Amino acid sequence: MGATGAALLPAQSAPKPNILLVLADDLAAWMLGCYGNTEIKTPNIDRLAKLGTKFVNSFVCSPICSPSRATLFSGRAPQQHGINDFLTENPVEKPPQGQKAAPDSFANEQLLTDVMAAGGYRCGYVGKWHMGNDVKPGHGLEFSYTLTGGARTYVDPEISENGSVKKESGYLTDLLTKQALGFLDRQTAEKPFFLTVGYLNPHTPYNGHPQKYYDLYQNATFGSIGFEPPAANALREKDMLTDMLGNMRKAAASVTALDDQIPMLEKKLKEKGLWENTVVIFTGDNGYLHGRHGLWSKGLASDPINMYEEVVRVPMIWSWPGRIPVEGSRPELISFYDFFPTVCDITGTTPPAGRNLVGRSYANLLFNRPFKKKEAWQSLVFGQFRNTEMARDQYYKLVLRNGGEGPNELFDLRQDPRERVNRYEDPGFVTIRDRLQNALAAWKKRAA
């Protein structure tokens, strides 16, 4: 595993670091300036990346919200934590339909907030939870301000504050930031905190954002995105494909509205004297296609499910003044299931026993420290969503469906980064295909 959390702290007597996690919804890595986008305006997120280290190859385990979030906070794969699909009271996707509720067993999951609270942290959660029990999530949270399980909206949303449901007035994104600032205002240097701010941006609907953000993109052409004609197998949100440019302009507006929240959070940390000892982490719960491959949404954008880079690769930015190298860029492959052990490592918090966590801490990568020879980082990640599984290394990606019965895919990402040429049946790639299949089988056995 990596170095221990205590070794990563500057001294044994030093206070534990605070954690501020900013979690976007449906935000792919390719949509940010710090990941190469030149058309969507994200100056504040880009600045955060310069203040710390970004992972170029950060992947979700599931390209859909609920199981992805459950993996992030539990450190376990979907087959372990039991949320295998997006949670909804009104399933709309076929085949098959979404998961109506989290399994009863999920209430017994040891989430990161449970572990941090037991380790002396004051834990708060603001925004989209979407892992069951949205009204009162529990799991060690002393403060929660969460979207209820009803329809998503950016204007006058229904919110649950510590279990009390009410109708709020105003712009959702601003309301979430206000509550996050309130939580930070109540913190002191004497006790560490772990706050998650789960913004809905840039998830649909694309209406309801302040007009100034739409005005920014009224003449944008988004020529670098690479829109493709609507695919015959398009499924979720395929209606968006009838006006790709118009909808992309609105989605970009939502991203920039999110970006504008970052300075307010930073300012409050500095006002409270907490900035120097706060780890700020920025990520998204899954990626998005926005017209690439002739699809609009995420894993369910197509039938069969896709595992394209756009939907599984997300931003992962870490900043900790004086600790994490500035303007850092790590090429290693990491996964959402590695997040839990990494946070525990950095904070010196003990992970729960007997949970069979499938990931490992990448704290050494963050601090630019070497691993022991026998513990070298292996750039290999895995994914699972419904009947579809993925294994990806630095150069190749294997996608298996229906237990290997197909349709299956193998992409040479060096020669074919946009994943257009399927090499699964190519005799020249048999050795690579078999190697990734064996690695996937071993990972599934480990996660059993």
Side-chain angles (χ1 to χ4, degrees):
M1 298 301 291
T4 65
L8 293 171
L9 295 173
Q12 292 293 332
S13 59
K16 291 185 176 183
N18 307 305
I19 304 291
L20 172 60
L21 170 62
V22 179
L23 178 60
D25 198 340
D26 288 353
L27 183 69
W30 68 266
M31 299 172 71
L32 301 179
C34 54
Y35 284 87
N37 194 294
T38 59
E39 296 181 282
I40 300 178
K41 297 174 174 61
T42 56
N44 298 306
I45 298 171
D46 300 343
R47 179 177 172 275
L48 183 65
K50 288 184 178 181
L51 292 174
T53 291
K54 73 173 183 287
F55 285 89
V56 179
N57 293 300
S58 171
F59 295 88
V60 297
C61 188
S62 304
I64 197 75
C65 49
S66 299
S68 181
R69 289 163 178 261
T71 292
L72 181 72
F73 286 102
S74 72
R76 295 177 6 120
Q79 64 263 41
Q80 295 175 302
H81 58 62
I83 298 181
N84 293 286
D85 215 328
F86 68 102
L87 302 183
T88 174
E89 290 303 313
N90 183 30
V92 294
E93 309 302 342
K94 296 180 180 181
Q97 294 184 333
Q99 183 173 325
K100 287 190 175 183
D104 292 340
S105 60
F106 191 75
N108 298 320
E109 281 293 323
Q110 290 293 298
L111 300 189
L112 189 52
T113 48
D114 290 304
V115 175
M116 298 291 279
Y121 277 73
R122 301 183 66 185
C123 296
Y125 197 104
V126 173
K128 181 178 177 179
W129 175 259
H130 213 41
M131 292 179 282
N133 297 319
D134 295 284
V135 170
K136 196 168 186 177
H139 290 289
L141 297 174
E142 71 169 49
F143 175 76
S144 62
Y145 183 88
T146 49
L147 282 67
T148 63
R152 301 291 184 245
T153 178
Y154 285 96
V155 180
D156 300 341
E158 185 180 82
I159 294 289
S160 173
E161 182 171 353
N162 294 327
S164 178
V165 177
K166 58 184 177 179
K167 187 83 168 180
E168 291 280 44
S169 178
Y171 176 47
L172 172 64
T173 309
D174 288 345
L175 293 169
L176 299 182
T177 299
K178 180 180 178 180
Q179 290 295 325
L181 297 178
F183 179 88
L184 294 176
D185 249 335
R186 298 190 292 273
Q187 306 311 306
T188 65
E190 285 67 44
K191 189 170 184 177
F193 69 81
F194 175 33
L195 172 64
T196 300
V197 191
Y199 289 105
L200 185 61
N201 308 56
H203 194 288
T204 54
Y206 295 142
N207 61 305
H209 302 288
Q211 185 60 40
K212 64 180 180 179
Y213 296 112
Y214 297 117
D215 292 344
L216 285 174
Y217 297 101
Q218 60 182 344
N219 297 316
T221 61
F222 295 108
S224 66
I225 288 180
F227 297 130
E228 297 176 45
N233 68 334
L235 181 62
R236 186 173 174 83
E237 290 166 333
K238 63 181 178 181
D239 57 307
M240 295 287 181
L241 300 170
T242 60
D243 183 13
M244 294 187 198
L245 179 57
N247 287 316
M248 189 67 240
R249 288 171 175 168
K250 295 175 183 178
S254 186
V255 174
T256 302
L258 166 65
D259 184 78
D260 270 357
Q261 311 306 307
I262 304 301
M264 290 182 276
L265 298 171
E266 293 178 349
K267 181 180 178 182
K268 180 59 68 176
L269 288 170
K270 292 173 182 176
E271 286 177 354
K272 295 289 293 182
L274 300 170
W275 172 254
E276 296 295 327
N277 198 39
T278 298
V279 183
V280 180
I281 308 164
F282 181 90
T283 189
D285 65 354
N286 52 251
Y288 219 77
L289 287 150
H290 287 299
R292 291 185 176 187
H293 298 280
L295 304 169
W296 192 260
S297 189
K298 38 208 165 186
L300 286 174
S302 57
D303 184 9
I305 288 165
N306 75 85
M307 289 279 189
Y308 288 128
E309 289 290 281
E310 289 86 352
V311 306
V312 295
R313 187 167 162 260
V314 295
M316 183 61 78
I317 299 167
W318 290 66
S319 172
W320 187 9
R323 307 289 196 276
I324 293 174
V326 299
E327 298 191 23
S329 181
R330 302 298 314 201
E332 295 87 356
L333 276 65
I334 61 170
S335 174
F336 259 30
Y337 47 69
D338 298 315
F339 182 77
F340 189 116
T342 303
V343 172
C344 288
D345 205 351
I346 286 176
T347 59
T349 305
T350 304
R355 303 308 292 172
N356 191 25
L357 302 183
V358 293
R360 61 178 296 197
S361 169
Y362 52 77
N364 278 349
L365 302 179
L366 275 171
F367 291 91
N368 199 24
R369 295 178 178 179
F371 287 93
K372 294 179 181 178
K373 188 174 181 180
K374 293 183 179 181
E375 297 177 353
W377 189 262
Q378 185 178 25
S379 283
L380 182 63
V381 296
F382 304 96
Q384 176 193 16
F385 180 29
R386 290 186 181 174
N387 64 341
T388 304
E389 299 165 331
M390 177 194 78
R392 187 203 190 280
D393 65 13
Q394 292 172 301
Y395 308 122
Y396 305 98
K397 178 191 291 182
L398 173 72
V399 179
L400 298 181
R401 298 184 177 92
N402 300 306
E405 294 183 7
N408 302 321
E409 296 164 334
L410 178 68
F411 297 110
D412 182 347
L413 298 172
R414 292 176 298 178
Q415 303 298 321
D416 179 29
R418 294 297 288 269
E419 301 168 279
R420 292 190 172 99
V421 182
N422 185 1
R423 300 288 189 179
Y424 187 81
E425 300 292 348
D426 189 326
F429 288 79
V430 169
T431 300
I432 296 164
R433 184 188 71 193
D434 290 348
R435 173 174 59 80
L436 289 176
Q437 282 181 330
N438 291 336
L440 178 61
W443 179 77
K444 290 170 60 181
K445 184 177 180 180
R446 201 162 67 243

